[in-house]
Amino acid sequence: MTSVSFPVPVDGLCHLSNETRMIATPWSRMVRGIGLGQYPIAYDPEAAARIRRTFALLSAKGADGNSYTRFSRLLADFVLGVVDPARPLRRSDLEQDLAPILDTVRAEENPYFRLMAGCILMDSFAKLGLDRALLVNAETDFPAEILAVADSIEPDRIKDENAGRHGHYEKLSAYSAVFLAMGQLGLQERLVLGRRNYIRESLDLLEKIPAPFFRGRGGAVLLSVISMLGHERFVFGEGRDHIEEVLDHLDRADELNNPPVFPQPMSESFPKVYPLLTMLNAIAMTGRSERYVTYGRDRLAEAKELMERITPVERTHMGLYYIMALHNLGRLDDQVPDLSGLVEDVVGEWEHIDPGANYFLNGIAYAYIIQTAMLTGRMDLIDDKLLERLVDGFPDLDRTDDDRKNRPYPFAYTLNVLGEIGRSHLLFEPREAYGGATPMAWVVDRLSEGGREEHRLYMLNHALLGYALRMRGPERAETPLSRGFQFR
């Protein structure tokens, strides 16, 4: 392998922000839109032009007829205007540019997407250092408006292969997003001081999510956010312990026999290790890890055993979750004494994985592989051959209708990670595998009219928004909320 030089924004676990330690993996960012814009870099006019051109391509394909895509285009342009050092930052301009964005958020008919858009807008304000009075003033209270949207999110409305297994999973995820966004604006006390205690209400939703996989994975994000906001007393200090209850539910997975369905066949251990690792990360944020890692059983021994039982390609997905959970718990050295060996095994698996074989198991594996290398300071394991195989793999997803319709899923992951390692240009330059077209233009051109069939197209919007937010400059690396948290 011939290694190449990458202008990566981090070079090891000891240099990660608290936001990254909480939301290190791409799933929450690409799927849920939380934690966008990590690893800030200086403004890049060429990258800004690529983002704008991509939204122009989506608009030409009719995707602008979707209010979420229209919102994403308007917000990306707003962000790029704010971070452009050549553009004067006048309050009157901000107010003028903000108005259509607010209108587009309010026009989104799906309440979950309306809330998600509002949360991304609030998070962007915090990361750009903009005056929150533009969102909270005598005429409007946008955070309260978005928080109220959660009341209209009904159970089991997600239309995917797990229909009927979610319960209140979507509403729980919505609370996680809106709580974090309000915390970013310094409004977290609103959640507990009014006539409603939203933290308590969100925790009560946990037992309304039947499948252990979704209760663990969704609950872990919520519990992590609550800890970051400083409201963890509601998690374990009012006569019940919600972390213990979630762990008890995970232990009943075999008895309940309600496993999730994945786009490709997975091992029996995968749906058990995934929620466990996310819960371990949440536990790391509570400051009570000694209590929980041995609650009921040795949770670290359980995680190690499950990691050994999943398949090698599944391990490329879970390796980063495992490493981050142990790092945040302060247990990486004793649990993985040969970290280099583990990372080399995870990254080396790329040679046996065809990224175009399917959109999920194989399709997003390379993104996890690259991020694992980046966050552990092992970019010497990544070479051009790996990147070219990843970038040229998307035409193969024409093999089935399901892969074609879901192509934006792995493509968003790829755009996100290539941006992080300074290689996003590979998606914007003509390539032989695409008949001389650029991968980005080729993928957008093959969307259905208006992107109506591709229900995960919104993930590409998130990747583009995250890229735009990154260009706010290293001096805005962390918000006060993230900076003020301490892993204990």
Side-chain angles (χ1 to χ4, degrees), residues 5 29 37 59 82 128 221-222 308 457:
S5 177
R29 287 178 270 157
S59 180
V82 171
L128 295 170
V221 178
L222 176 70
E308 291 171 352
L457 179 59

Side-chain angles (χ1 to χ4, degrees), residues 205-226:
L205 291 176
L206 285 167
E207 59 189 358
K208 297 179 181 178
I209 302 172
F213 176 83
F214 293 108
R215 188 181 300 189
R217 188 173 72 168
V221 178
L222 176 70
L223 294 164
S224 296
V225 169
I226 291 173

Side-chain angles (χ1 to χ4, degrees), residues 93-158:
D93 292 335
L94 292 174
E95 291 174 342
Q96 181 176 323
D97 294 343
L98 180 60
I101 299 175
L102 295 175
D103 290 342
T104 308
V105 173
R106 291 162 177 154
E108 172 57 57
E109 294 181 359
N110 182 306
Y112 184 83
F113 279 86
R114 184 160 72 251
L115 181 142
M116 189 160 57
C119 292
I120 293 172
L121 176 58
M122 290 189 280
D123 185 58
S124 299
F125 258 65
K127 287 172 177 168
L128 295 170
L130 298 177
D131 185 359
R132 77 179 186 192
L134 290 164
L135 298 174
V136 185
N137 50 58
E139 287 76 37
T140 188
D141 189 339
F142 186 72
E145 196 178 313
I146 295 302
L147 179 60
V149 174
D151 287 337
S152 60
I153 297 176
E154 299 176 357
D156 284 317
R157 294 290 174 167
I158 304 174

Side-chain angles (χ1 to χ4, degrees), residues 383-435:
D383 68 1
D384 285 334
K385 185 178 179 182
L386 180 158
L387 298 181
E388 289 172 1
R389 189 176 186 189
L390 168 61
V391 170
D392 289 341
F394 292 99
D396 292 339
L397 294 177
D398 278 341
R399 290 171 179 167
T400 70
D401 282 345
D402 193 41
D403 285 322
R404 177 184 56 78
K405 292 175 183 177
N406 285 286
R407 185 158 36 210
Y409 189 150
F411 196 75
Y413 272 59
T414 300
L415 173 60
N416 177 68
V417 75
L418 291 184
E420 291 173 355
I421 64 171
R423 289 294 188 273
S424 62
H425 63 87
L426 294 174
L427 298 176
F428 297 92
E429 296 172 350
R431 296 188 67 83
E432 184 178 342
Y434 297 87

Side-chain angles (χ1 to χ4, degrees), residues 427-470:
L427 298 176
F428 297 92
E429 296 172 350
R431 296 188 67 83
E432 184 178 342
Y434 297 87
T438 71
M440 180 63 76
W442 189 95
V443 166
V444 173
D445 185 58
R446 277 154 182 77
L447 295 173
S448 61
E449 187 57 36
R452 293 183 183 88
E453 295 181 8
E454 292 82 6
H455 67 286
R456 287 185 164 116
L457 179 59
Y458 74 94
M459 293 171 61
L460 178 55
N461 294 331
H462 288 170
L464 293 163
L465 283 169
Y467 199 0
L469 265 178
R470 288 186 62 219

